[in-house]
Amino acid sequence: MDFPVITTNSLLFFTLLIFLHYPNSCLSSLILPLKAKLTQSPAVTTPNKLSFHHNVTLTVALAVGSPPQQVTMVLDTGSELSWLNCKKTPTTPSSFAPHLSTSYRPIPCSSPTCTTKTRDFTLPVSCDPNKLCHAILSYADASSVEGNLASDTYRFDNSVALPGMVFGCMDSGSSSNPEEDSKTTGLIGMNRGSLSLVSQMGSRQFSYCISGTDSSGVLLFGEANLPWLKPLNYTPMIQISTPLPYFDRVAYTVQLEGIRVAGTVLPLPKSIFEPDHTGAGQTMVDSGTQFTFLLGPVYTSLKNEFLRQTKGILRPLGDPNFVFQGAMDLCYRVELTRAVLPQLPSVNLLFRGVEMSVAGEKLLYKVPGLTRGSDSVYCFTFGNSDLLGVEAYVIGHHHQQNMWVEFDLARSRVGLAEVRCDLASQRLGLPP
């Protein structure tokens, strides 16, 4: 998502549109607010992947328990287990109190949920002294949370009840950003794992559309039968059943086959984009990561070609020691008085059966609050995953702006179509 530079406490409002299909329920749709808040430093990270270095935390307000307790949870399509802060002595209003919920149920070690459904966790679960299922979730920025698996009733807008939803009731952990983490109650996992919210809801398809110009956006569970939506082009999800050390089996993995800058295809073999025998080199579509990260050799080739095609158009920063967010070392100086960026060569990501075009303002990101003399600093929105110690290609949400992105689990494919997401929100009758 491409957000304007705003103050730390400013809020942008998104909308969550959910089509639910539950037995014995006559409800067909529900609209919830999804908030995007600018933060000063990394907030939440994703297991087995790079840390959230983005400046925006997406949150959704839910109610959990009986009677319902209001919680605010980070929405993450790259994580499996949802979790809530369940500290025994809450120090902030962002804690969930399990002892006040009559529908709260801790999960024992003997439960199949503990013994079989946790196989894709980063760390194996254990049994605590009370014979309850204990989990530790560790993240790429060295933060972690730990506690017991439990189940309770989740409620959307206090109307749609989802009983028996499994989550982590976390009572301890370490954080890279305690101030920001204290403003949310936990995290909603949305990947393909058996304990993600998507899987537990039984949803076989969901979509989202992120606007690049304003605060409107849509997340939709269920089939998108929308007459005004362009036909989607699909690329198959790549699945590997054998456990490999560097392959995330429950991520939304597709096959990147090449990259084109304007009319020039990077002179790279297709094999460089394919996972190797360890699983390193998978390509993940992830709304929880802001920018796109490429393995070192591919990133270097793209960087050199972009530099070649923008020579005389953009002025390089000229500071070899400046690396934005630890992985983005191609940055430029742009006059503060310049309102519009110059014409830039587009970068097309070539997937099997689908192309994703990254053009215009999506190619450069203005570093908030940083100037050099009378210039702003802009950085190329592709980074080097090798610098982060990540053995994967990750397609971030910044490059998914104004695209309808559909995750079709029933047919094991990802669909893309260019669309004005602000107009999509209007057509769905959502508030601006």
Side-chain angles (χ1 to χ4, degrees):
M1 285 159 282
D2 188 12
F3 295 98
V5 177
I6 54 178
T7 60
T8 304
N9 294 323
S10 298
L11 293 179
L12 299 175
F13 293 90
F14 282 72
T15 304
L16 178 67
L17 175 62
I18 305 181
F19 286 88
L20 300 166
H21 302 281
Y22 296 110
N24 306 318
S25 174
C26 61
L27 188 65
S28 60
S29 65
L30 177 69
I31 298 176
L32 295 172
L34 178 66
K35 297 181 181 179
K37 182 172 63 62
L38 189 72
T39 62
Q40 291 181 320
S41 55
V44 183
T45 60
T46 312
N48 287 330
K49 299 207 309 299
L50 65 156
S51 60
F52 273 67
H53 285 283
H54 59 58
N55 295 64
V56 177
T57 298
L58 298 176
T59 61
V60 62
L62 303 177
V64 178
S66 304
Q69 298 177 43
Q70 297 299 317
V71 298
T72 301
M73 303 179 74
V74 174
L75 191 72
D76 180 18
T77 60
S79 290
E80 177 175 359
L81 184 69
S82 302
W83 58 267
L84 291 168
N85 176 0
C86 295
K87 291 184 178 178
K88 295 180 177 63
T89 307
T91 56
T92 70
S94 62
S95 295
F96 173 71
H99 63 282
L100 298 180
S101 172
T102 58
S103 51
Y104 176 85
R105 299 288 184 272
I107 292 176
C109 302
S110 57
S111 167
T113 298
C114 186
T115 57
T116 63
K117 290 191 176 183
T118 59
R119 64 176 185 173
D120 290 308
F121 283 16
T122 310
L123 299 173
V125 296
S126 60
C127 202
D128 75 0
N130 296 319
K131 297 185 178 180
L132 299 178
C133 192
H134 186 82
I136 300 175
L137 303 179
S138 60
Y139 299 100
D141 67 347
S143 65
S144 64
V145 291
E146 64 177 294
N148 292 330
L149 264 61
S151 68
D152 210 329
T153 299
Y154 279 40
R155 290 179 173 85
F156 293 109
D157 198 29
N158 285 326
S159 55
V160 179
L162 307 177
M165 301 300 287
V166 177
F167 66 101
C169 198
M170 304 308 195
D171 56 15
S172 65
S174 61
S175 171
S176 63
N177 192 350
E179 181 180 354
E180 290 302 330
D181 288 350
S182 68
K183 298 175 184 178
T184 59
T185 323
L187 177 146
I188 298 178
M190 293 280 288
N191 71 10
R192 295 171 49 243
S194 62
L195 291 179
S196 74
L197 180 67
V198 178
S199 298
Q200 292 192 66
M201 287 172 61
S203 178
R204 303 301 295 159
Q205 193 175 95
F206 72 96
S207 313
Y208 56 70
C209 194
I210 304 165
S211 174
T213 56
D214 60 20
S215 60
S216 62
V218 179
L219 172 66
L220 184 152
F221 285 90
E223 191 170 354
N225 289 320
L226 306 171
W228 44 264
L229 184 62
K230 295 179 183 178
L232 274 65
N233 293 314
Y234 290 95
T235 186
M237 288 187 199
I238 305 300
Q239 302 188 57
I240 297 178
S241 58
T242 305
L244 296 174
Y246 294 109
F247 192 90
D248 185 345
R249 295 186 298 173
V250 291
Y252 297 107
T253 301
V254 295
Q255 186 57 64
L256 182 63
E257 294 188 328
I259 299 176
R260 186 176 66 246
V261 183
T264 303
V265 176
L266 299 183
L268 297 167
K270 284 189 177 182
S271 59
I272 201 170
F273 298 103
E274 297 173 352
D276 65 16
H277 66 284
T278 70
Q282 76 181 113
T283 300
M284 299 179 284
V285 182
D286 185 9
S287 67
T289 299
Q290 185 174 14
F291 301 114
T292 293
F293 296 90
L294 309 171
L295 291 185
V298 176
Y299 170 76
T300 299
S301 180
L302 173 60
K303 172 184 172 181
N304 290 339
E305 181 60 27
F306 193 79
L307 273 168
R308 186 185 71 81
Q309 293 197 29
T310 56
K311 188 175 182 180
I313 300 174
L314 292 172
R315 182 159 52 114
L317 180 62
D319 182 356
N321 296 318
F322 182 78
V323 181
F324 182 51
Q325 297 188 353
M328 303 160 77
D329 61 1
L330 179 54
C331 299
Y332 298 93
R333 298 177 67 147
V334 178
E335 298 90 343
L336 286 167
T337 55
R338 181 155 199 157
V340 180
L341 291 172
Q343 180 102 19
L344 300 173
S346 64
V347 176
N348 280 37
L349 303 176
L350 312 178
F351 301 100
R352 189 173 297 167
V354 175
E355 287 192 19
M356 177 184 287
S357 179
V358 180
E361 293 184 351
K362 288 194 284 187
L363 288 163
L364 297 179
Y365 180 80
K366 184 179 181 180
V367 180
L370 182 63
T371 59
R372 293 293 171 90
S374 59
D375 299 322
S376 300
V377 175
Y378 284 75
C379 291
F380 193 41
T381 52
F382 291 84
N384 186 344
S385 59
D386 288 6
L387 295 178
L388 296 175
V390 177
E391 299 288 338
Y393 301 94
V394 182
I395 312 301
H397 66 62
H398 184 80
H399 293 161
Q400 300 173 47
Q401 296 173 89
N402 286 318
M403 298 199 74
W404 193 274
V405 184
E406 178 185 277
F407 299 88
D408 187 345
L409 290 91
R411 298 174 182 87
S412 191
R413 61 185 186 173
V414 175
L416 301 175
E418 291 188 2
V419 66
R420 280 273 304 276
C421 293
D422 55 342
L423 296 181
S425 295
Q426 293 176 23
R427 290 188 176 108
L428 288 166
L430 304 179

